[in-house]
Amino acid sequence: MTDPFKQARLPRKELIANEDAQGRLDAWLTTELSGEFSRNRVKALIEQGAITINGAIVTEPKRKIKPGDQLVIDMPEPEDPEPKGEDIPLEVLYEDKDLIVLSKPAGLVVHPGAGNWTGTLVNALIHHCGDSLSGIGGVKRPGIVHRLDKETSGVMVVAKNDIAHRHLADQFADHGRNGPLERAYQAIVWGRPKGLRGTIDAALGRAGDRTKRTVKNEDSDDAREAITHYEVIERYGEKPDSTCLASLVECRLETGRTHQIRVHMAHIGHPLVGDPEYGAAFKTKANLLPDDAKAVVNGFHRQALHAFLLAFEHPTTGEVMHFEAPVPNDMAAVMEAFQAI
């Protein structure tokens, strides 16, 4: 298949048939383009009305080309390639005919996108589940009802049919306000929030680029409600004045915005350890640690965030399902380094 981004770089082509031009339009054009597109791709472009000859749209691939014909090819917007199955190991916590629950490792992108067309959780799921995921929730995100950032680990549920997808999607959209859905995260943050438990109610919006988020005034055009409840579970390197070097915090979401926990904790002055986007200014905090702990923290290159708990109502049986996953080894090593201080 031709690279869609290559097509995007060539939005229009203009050609003039030379004096030797003859035969079917699709065959001649395929040869003229020197293999840039397959004959099937050229045929599809013709049938889509993307080609004009002498100012008139042509939709018949078998139309005969004539010397002197003036052709214009208007390239359509590139289409995302359909994801293919890949044999990527999955840690499956539970599976039945309706859904699959797994523990996603840090470093694994959930679904294909720009720069990550392969090697994603979706590619792994297609390989694992076969055709059962086809068309559920969209081509690029089959079965996906919620997501975790690439470098966030933890429990996820994926739907295996349309009924399960709709049921689960409704639960996640409700965020547990009227149902049994629970989502809880463990995060290691710098310092210690003033209150051992609290609620961060601060709207989020784009921070000037495609992915990064920031706290926004509620009147901003792109501001979206975001509420995070947190509780300090463990304090590391605590001092007589009740301050400490870092804390283990449990976070529960009342809304589910992109980077919500990461932005909210940074907003109250306690960014996640290792967070390259929202905690970079705190990177030098590691210099205050003993050498052993400093080496571990400096070697940890992702946000210290793990989705350890997920509970939901099974879309078919109505049973409340409850799953937990322990923190992965790299994050556990950071916790142990702080505990040793």
Side-chain angles (χ1 to χ4, degrees), residues 233-256:
I233 304 300
E234 194 170 357
R235 289 162 280 182
Y236 307 121
E238 191 167 20
K239 300 177 183 178
D241 61 359
S242 296
T243 62
C244 58
L245 292 171
S247 304
L248 177 66
V249 177
E250 180 178 308
C251 295
R252 292 178 180 254
L253 302 179
E254 194 171 318
T255 56

Side-chain angles (χ1 to χ4, degrees), residues 203-204 215-224:
L204 301 182
V215 169
K216 288 287 188 79
N217 186 294
E218 292 181 358
D219 296 330
S220 299
D221 291 340
D222 66 335
R224 302 184 70 188

